[in-house]
Amino acid sequence: MSTLVLICDDSKLARRQLARSLPNDWDIKVEFAEHGIDCLEKIKKFSPEILFLDLNMPQMDGYGVLEAIRDQGLNVLTVVVSGDIQPNAHQRVIELGAIDFIRKPCDANKLVEIIEHHGIRDRAIRESLVHKLGEQLEPELRDIYQELTNVAMGQAGDLLARLLNVFVELPIPNVNVLEVSELHMALQAIDASASTSGVCQGFIGGGVSGEALLLLNDSSFKEVASLMNYHGELNDKIELELLMDISNILIGAILTGLSKQLDMSFSQGHPVVLGQHCDVSDLVKANKGRWQRTLAIEISYGIENHNINCDLMLLFTEDSLKTLKYKVAYLLED
């Protein structure tokens, strides 16, 4: 089964050069697009698995294509090929969902290196494995996500334990694909009877995006403050600072742990306060527009001999599921 490749560049010479640089032993079928609008039409018409995308083009540039792919939920792995080598250009395309960046003129060895690094040479073979994982081996897929999270949350727990000089109790993470209503119920079930404060931080990289949600029981603030050597009077401002400190530690560490295992880098957005001192049901109701169908990973942290209850949820967008499955399939290959 051939892998369908789409090359988008306004230069006929550049398109042909890139096509000739692709590995000779790679079973592929190549289509071409001359600009961004043409590219989007070809993606919808042919459903390519790999896109090599120029940035500077008429009618719609590569940035616009990446934004449209993201906003329209189009499933294609995108490698940017451009003469614009500014660091900001590289960072921006990764944040928009590209998996890598190649400098023009395209070097054949570098191209092969990137293809091998991201495991996209045998795309058609993995397509079958991904389907098997997604449709037939759902319990195994859940187990894999749990194991990846176990490693990442262990690193986050270690960082928190060292910072606060405590023993952090690590749970078995819960992994589920949830519809919107089910996500609301899952959040509400965390501690429906307790006043809670929450913060959310978006992340994106390599075709995967989502939000990390941290909920801290309000009864935990006093002991968190003590462990962090704050002995003054608590108020909303101080509690918000403590909440942000805890979220920065746990969210940053767990995303770093996952990114290393999945071989992709995540860019993190600014944290957003979801609410302070409210019922979880009210917090969810106020923010329900933020979440859609999602892969949800829930981690409930506890600290031994301290009344501290903290829940961290990683909410991956539905569009991220296919990329995550490909990553998992690649990890499972012999």
Side-chain angles (χ1 to χ4, degrees):
M1 180 179 177
S2 298
T3 298
L4 184 58
V5 176
L6 177 61
I7 297 173
C8 178
D9 198 302
D10 61 317
S11 165
K12 182 177 181 179
L13 175 63
R15 294 195 298 270
R16 294 301 177 184
Q17 285 180 334
L18 199 152
R20 285 196 294 268
S21 298
L22 294 172
N24 293 327
D25 59 347
W26 191 15
D27 184 12
I28 58 174
K29 179 181 179 181
V30 180
E31 296 287 344
F32 298 101
E34 299 180 3
H35 51 73
I37 296 175
D38 186 27
C39 179
L40 292 175
E41 292 175 351
K42 295 286 176 59
I43 292 173
K44 294 173 183 177
K45 180 178 180 180
F46 297 112
S47 299
E49 293 163 313
I50 314 296
L51 167 64
F52 293 98
L53 177 68
D54 186 27
L55 286 183
N56 299 319
M57 297 181 292
Q59 298 193 46
M60 176 185 286
D61 63 15
Y63 297 112
V65 173
L66 287 169
E67 290 174 353
I69 289 172
R70 178 195 62 194
D71 295 343
Q72 296 178 32
L74 303 177
N75 290 315
V76 59
L77 289 182
T78 305
V79 177
V80 168
V81 184
S82 177
D84 187 349
I85 59 173
Q86 302 174 72
N88 286 346
H90 190 168
Q91 179 180 351
R92 184 178 174 191
V93 299
I94 297 301
E95 290 175 349
L96 287 171
I99 64 170
D100 218 318
F101 186 103
I102 303 175
R103 176 180 179 176
K104 280 187 175 182
C106 182
D107 179 80
N109 291 330
K110 177 64 176 177
L111 184 57
V112 170
E113 180 184 321
I114 286 178
I115 289 171
E116 295 295 340
H117 175 71
H118 292 286
I120 57 181
R121 177 191 288 266
D122 301 318
R123 182 77 172 191
I125 296 174
R126 282 198 310 282
E127 181 78 41
S128 175
L129 179 55
V130 166
H131 178 76
K132 185 179 180 184
L133 283 172
E135 301 299 329
Q136 300 178 17
L137 299 179
E138 199 62 41
E140 181 177 342
L141 185 62
R142 181 181 291 108
D143 179 70
I144 293 167
Y145 288 149
Q146 282 183 334
E147 181 57 27
L148 293 173
T149 307
N150 269 327
V151 174
M153 77 178 187
Q155 297 172 3
D158 177 66
L159 185 60
L160 186 64
R162 292 175 186 274
L163 178 67
L164 301 181
N165 193 28
V166 294
F167 179 79
V168 177
E169 298 168 337
L170 300 178
I172 297 174
N174 291 320
V175 180
N176 287 290
V177 175
L178 301 177
E179 300 294 341
V180 180
S181 59
E182 294 171 326
L183 174 59
H184 293 169
M185 289 187 288
L187 291 170
Q188 290 171 1
I190 289 174
D191 198 341
S193 63
S195 179
T196 302
S197 297
V199 63
C200 196
Q201 189 168 16
F203 57 89
I204 187 170
V208 174
S209 62
E211 291 185 307
L213 169 63
L214 186 91
L215 299 177
L216 184 64
N217 192 302
D218 284 346
S219 63
S220 304
F221 277 115
K222 186 175 180 179
E223 294 207 44
V224 169
S226 177
L227 290 173
M228 299 185 76
N229 295 317
Y230 179 82
H231 302 290
E233 184 177 350
L234 293 179
N235 54 41
D236 285 353
K237 181 180 179 181
I238 297 299
E239 289 179 345
L240 181 57
E241 291 178 0
L242 294 171
L243 178 65
M244 289 296 187
D245 287 342
I246 295 294
S247 69
N248 284 335
I249 294 167
L250 294 179
I251 293 174
I254 201 163
L255 288 178
T256 298
L258 287 175
S259 68
K260 289 180 179 178
Q261 295 177 86
L262 294 171
D263 195 21
M264 60 171 60
S265 59
F266 291 123
S267 297
Q268 294 174 231
H270 295 292
V272 176
V273 180
L274 298 177
Q276 281 185 273
H277 316 308
C278 56
D279 292 338
V280 174
S281 59
D282 293 334
L283 185 150
V284 171
K285 186 183 300 182
N287 295 277
K288 64 181 180 180
R290 301 179 63 91
W291 303 304
Q292 302 298 322
R293 186 175 185 267
T294 183
L295 169 65
I297 300 177
E298 180 190 349
I299 306 163
S300 297
Y301 286 96
I303 296 180
E304 189 177 61
N305 299 322
H306 293 276
N307 181 28
I308 296 177
N309 299 297
C310 177
D311 285 272
L312 174 62
M313 292 195 75
L314 297 175
L315 309 175
F316 294 89
T317 63
E318 184 176 10
D319 293 340
S320 301
L321 297 181
K322 186 173 182 179
T323 300
L324 285 171
K325 287 180 181 179
Y326 276 116
K327 283 288 186 179
V328 167
Y330 183 56
L331 290 174
L332 291 178
E333 284 185 335
D334 294 330

